[in-house]
């Protein structure tokens, strides 16, 4: 029997407790182009645009773009762009079908269609979740990674672009030629000062092709910084099967997440936007203090859990914080990281830490340590190295941060403490495989740390190689007690 898929035609078969779009989807305009339509966009920004549509402001439909593979388009197209957002914690579950995504384009199949969407007079916002590595920035030297083949391709020709900046530039050029304002481009990746990084990448790309266009973008465009937060684990086949049994139709584009959602956006737009504040978005002049707190507390602890827990054999985040010594290690890391923060008014750090621990402990999320361990070279600088460097500049010790960094180095051996082998998933995996020790690894991170910090990392690294992650954690907790 053929599997019945979620679609506009099968919406009315869903159980009554599933929320579905009540607005006229055919009347929706496409005010948003999203680059990198993975799980996170569908659980975060799209949920906000859905709220705008549900409020009656029909300008904020989304054209999703995959810059690389056709996977998400192939999941969503047979479903008329509909997908289920499953929000769950240990206590309950909320199920909502989201209708905001009106179309998914696959850039390599039809790059001109992506440029046309960016150039459309209806488009006012471009959001991006292309992962940290998608910005193609040179972590050690600064600027664009000019020897990356896709960057080199786009710097030479924008006929059929390959990179995010390579698409935004012809989109902006077409808008300028048509007398339209630029769109506001919102990076929603976990990078500090993500707006400035995106702006720099776009200006460098524009400069290579048309300096006058670069000037126009610099003067008229807007690249607000954003802090985004919602834990969105990758969907598994088992998740799809369980939901299908509940809904009576199959949804291959479903995403699962937690109740928490935060989006802090720098209040600097160059055109129309939804009434974001009405849908829970915080607009502010200063995103950096929010971003630093999130990157160093949430993401820093996540990376520590990914490598230490991964080495110890933990499949999921909640397993690690389910053990007293796991929680103690996270608290020790937070003690060190918190002292480097300048918390924004409105952020109560002790309460934030308590809430984070509860979020990590959510057993219903099934957030894999391996997912977080991916792309460590792109994540560690802002999550762990920056707070370490700041502490050392003030003469402060860096034990827990150093253990987390050492665990990432030990992870590069590709084998857990239980003898299980795995493949390193990182854009610079080949260079990491050639690294000869702590100094080589730090150079690949672009990390400039003093002798004491390097020495502390080296001690932990040696202990992890000799012993195990569990023993190293116990030693650190013991030392601190
Ligand atoms: P995902 O794996 O579901 O989607 C990743 C998207 O990025 C895909 O569209 C993929 O094609 C694209 N991508 C990957 N490498 C790329 C490259 N080199 N160039 C251009 N595009 C590339 O992952 P997910 O969960 O959507 O996360 C994406 C990003 O969103 C994260 O890296 C992070 O920066 C941000 N984020 C994710 C959160 C989460 O909990 N999943 C929460 C907060 C932020
Ligand atoms: C995680 C983040 O995968 C990772 O590296 O640390 O994606 C984390 O889930 C989000 O930042 C939560 O907002």
């Amino acid at each position: 029997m053929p599997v019945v898929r979620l679609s506009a035609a099968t919406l009315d078969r869903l159980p009554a407790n599933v929320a579905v779009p009540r607005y006229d989807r055919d009347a929706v305009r496409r005010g948003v182009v999203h680059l990198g339509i993975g799980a996170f966009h569908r659980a975060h920004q799209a949920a906000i645009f859905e709220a705008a549509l549900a409020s009656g402001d029909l300008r904020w439909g989304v054209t999703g773009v995959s810059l690389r593979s056709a996977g998400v388009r192939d999941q969503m197209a047979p479903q008329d762009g509909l997908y289920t957002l499953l929000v769950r914690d240990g206590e309950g579950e909320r199920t909502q079908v989201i209708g905001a995504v009106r179309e998914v384009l696959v850039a390599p199949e039809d790059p001109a269609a992506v440029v046309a969407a960016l150039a459309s007079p209806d488009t006012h916002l471009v959001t991006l979740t292309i992962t940290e590595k998608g910005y193609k920035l040179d972590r050690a030297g600064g600027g664009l990674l000019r020897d990356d083949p896709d960057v080199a391709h786009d710097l030479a020709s924008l006929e059929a672009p390959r990179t995010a900046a390579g698409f935004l530039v012809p989109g902006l050029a077409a808008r300028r030629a048509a007398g339209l304002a630029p769109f506001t481009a919102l990076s929603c990746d976990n990078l500090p000062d993500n707006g400035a990084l995106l702006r720099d990448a776009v200006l460098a790309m524009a400069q290579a092709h048309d300096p006058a266009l670069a000037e126009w973008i610099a003067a008229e465009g807007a690249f607000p910084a954003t802090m985004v937060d919602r834990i969105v684990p990758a969907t598994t086949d088992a998740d799809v099967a369980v939901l299908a049994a509940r809904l009576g139709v199959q949804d291959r584009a479903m995403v699962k997440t937690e109740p928490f959602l935060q989006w802090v956006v720098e209040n600097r737009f160059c055109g129309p936007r939804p009434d974001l504040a009405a849908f829970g978005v915080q607009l502010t002049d200063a995103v950096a203090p929010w971003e630093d707190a999130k990157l160093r507390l949430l993401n820093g602890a996540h990376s520590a859990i990914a490598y230490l827990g991964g080495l110890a054999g933990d499949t999921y985040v909640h397993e690690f914080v389910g053990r007293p010594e796991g929680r103690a290690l996270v608290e020790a890391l937070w003690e060190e990281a918190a002292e480097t923060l300048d918390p924004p008014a409105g952020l109560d750090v002790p309460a934030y830490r308590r809430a984070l621990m509860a979020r990590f402990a959510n057993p219903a999320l099934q957030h894999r340590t391996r997912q977080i361990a991916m792309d460590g070279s792109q994540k560690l600088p802002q999550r762990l190295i920056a707070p370490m460097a700041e502490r050392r500049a003030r003469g402060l010790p860096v034990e827990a941060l150093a253990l987390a960094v050492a665990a990432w180095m030990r992870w590069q051996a590709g084998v857990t403490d239980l003898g299980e082998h795995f493949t390193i998933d990182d854009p610079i995996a080949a260079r990491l495989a050639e690294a000869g020790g702590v100094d080589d690894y730090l150079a690949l991170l672009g990390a400039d740390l003093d002798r004491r910090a390097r020495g502390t990392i080296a001690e932990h690294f040696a202990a992890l190689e000799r012993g195990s992650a569990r023993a190293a954690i116990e030693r650190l907790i013991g030392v601190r007690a």
Side-chain angles (χ1 to χ4, degrees):
M1 207 176 72
V3 178
V4 177
R5 292 282 287 275
L6 173 69
S7 71
T10 57
L11 262 187
D12 58 2
R13 297 192 190 186
L14 299 179
N17 61 357
V18 177
V20 298
R22 295 281 173 217
Y23 52 88
D24 178 3
R25 283 189 88 215
D26 293 331
V28 165
R29 305 234 298 274
R30 296 192 205 154
V32 184
V33 174
H34 180 79
L35 303 187
I37 180 150
F40 180 55
H41 173 72
R42 279 175 278 158
H44 188 273
Q45 304 98 68
I48 301 290
F49 297 129
E50 182 75 6
L53 297 172
S55 78
D57 184 354
L58 295 184
R59 292 173 298 168
W60 304 106
V62 177
T63 300
V65 177
S66 256
L67 290 178
R68 303 191 312 169
S69 71
V72 173
R73 190 273 316 273
D74 293 348
Q75 290 163 352
M76 295 187 77
Q79 302 186 180
D80 304 315
L82 295 167
Y83 64 93
T84 312
L85 182 61
L86 197 59
V87 179
R88 57 190 183 193
D89 57 19
E91 280 147 32
E93 194 163 87
R94 193 166 59 78
T95 313
Q96 179 186 10
V97 173
I98 303 278
V101 180
R102 300 302 288 122
E103 189 184 13
V104 179
L105 303 172
V106 181
E109 286 178 8
D110 191 355
V114 178
V115 175
L118 292 165
S120 158
D122 277 350
T123 298
H124 301 298
L125 297 179
V126 174
T127 48
L128 298 93
T129 55
I130 54 173
T131 78
E132 293 86 340
K133 63 185 175 296
Y135 292 81
K136 308 272 183 189
L137 294 162
D138 183 348
R139 306 300 302 223
L144 280 175
L145 269 179
R146 286 178 179 266
D147 47 5
D148 176 278
D150 292 341
V151 173
H153 171 276
D154 285 0
L155 285 170
S157 163
L158 290 174
E159 280 292 302
R162 295 183 186 165
T163 66
F167 277 103
L168 295 185
V169 167
L172 288 162
R175 297 182 78 87
R176 180 171 177 240
L180 293 171
F183 43 70
T184 299
L186 291 152
S187 163
C188 300
D189 282 293
N190 285 322
L191 286 162
D193 223 352
N194 51 10
L197 292 180
L198 178 61
R199 182 176 188 270
D200 289 352
V202 169
L203 291 181
M205 188 60 71
Q207 189 67 36
H209 293 281
D210 180 352
L213 174 66
E215 260 180 52
W216 180 76
I217 297 170
E220 308 286 329
F223 298 83
T226 74
M227 183 275 251
V228 287
D229 190 6
R230 188 171 219 186
I231 297 175
V232 188
T235 305
T236 64
D237 290 343
D239 294 326
V240 172
V242 169
L243 186 69
R246 255 193 53 209
L247 297 189
V249 298
Q250 191 190 51
D251 176 1
R252 296 191 31 206
M254 64 157 284
V255 285
K256 60 176 178 180
T257 190
E258 58 176 347
F260 186 92
L261 187 159
Q262 192 174 19
W263 196 4
V264 184
V265 179
E266 187 182 4
N267 200 357
R268 190 151 55 83
F269 290 75
C270 60
R273 56 171 193 263
D275 183 3
L276 292 167
F279 311 114
V281 177
Q282 292 164 250
L283 296 163
T284 170
D285 291 337
V287 173
W290 290 99
E291 187 73 42
D292 284 347
K294 194 252 173 175
L295 285 169
R296 295 179 186 189
L297 296 175
L298 189 160
N299 296 115
H302 250 176
S303 290
I305 293 168
Y307 302 116
L308 288 164
L311 288 170
D314 290 329
T315 305
Y316 301 113
V317 169
H318 70 266
E319 293 172 335
F320 187 91
V321 296
R323 290 190 298 275
E325 67 278 12
R327 274 199 304 282
L329 184 276
V330 169
E331 292 290 353
L333 187 105
W334 283 344
E335 285 301 313
E336 292 180 9
E339 282 173 3
T340 70
L341 298 175
D342 180 12
L347 180 66
D348 172 349
V349 173
Y352 184 66
R353 283 170 53 171
R354 282 193 299 279
L356 275 184
M357 194 63 93
R359 291 170 64 194
F360 289 171
N362 179 351
L365 270 186
Q366 306 236 302
H367 196 190
R368 287 179 188 271
T369 51
R370 288 277 168 90
Q371 180 180 352
I372 302 166
M374 256 172 46
D375 295 348
S377 68
Q378 313 295 301
K379 295 175 175 175
L380 259 63
Q382 56 274 18
R383 297 179 179 200
L384 298 169
I385 302 293
M388 270 183 100
E390 285 177 31
R391 286 183 67 86
R392 288 307 307 138
R394 287 157 56 190
L396 297 169
V398 289
E399 285 295 328
L401 288 161
L403 175 58
V405 173
W408 169 76
M409 295 175 180
R410 162 69 186 83
W411 183 255
Q412 306 310 315
V415 56
T416 69
D417 291 340
L418 313 178
E420 193 194 337
H421 289 262
F422 56 88
T423 305
I424 298 296
D425 197 341
D426 194 293
I428 61 162
R431 287 158 77 198
L432 289 166
E434 283 165 12
V438 168
D439 286 339
D440 281 0
Y441 284 125
L442 289 176
L444 287 169
L445 295 176
D448 185 14
L449 294 174
D450 71 353
R451 265 185 60 183
R452 166 105 180 258
R454 282 185 281 130
T456 311
I457 295 172
E459 279 168 30
H460 285 304
F461 184 46
L464 286 167
E465 286 195 306
R466 267 197 323 268
S468 68
R470 285 206 176 191
I473 292 170
E474 274 159 23
R475 184 166 145 260
L476 187 126
I477 302 309
V479 164
R480 295 180 51 86

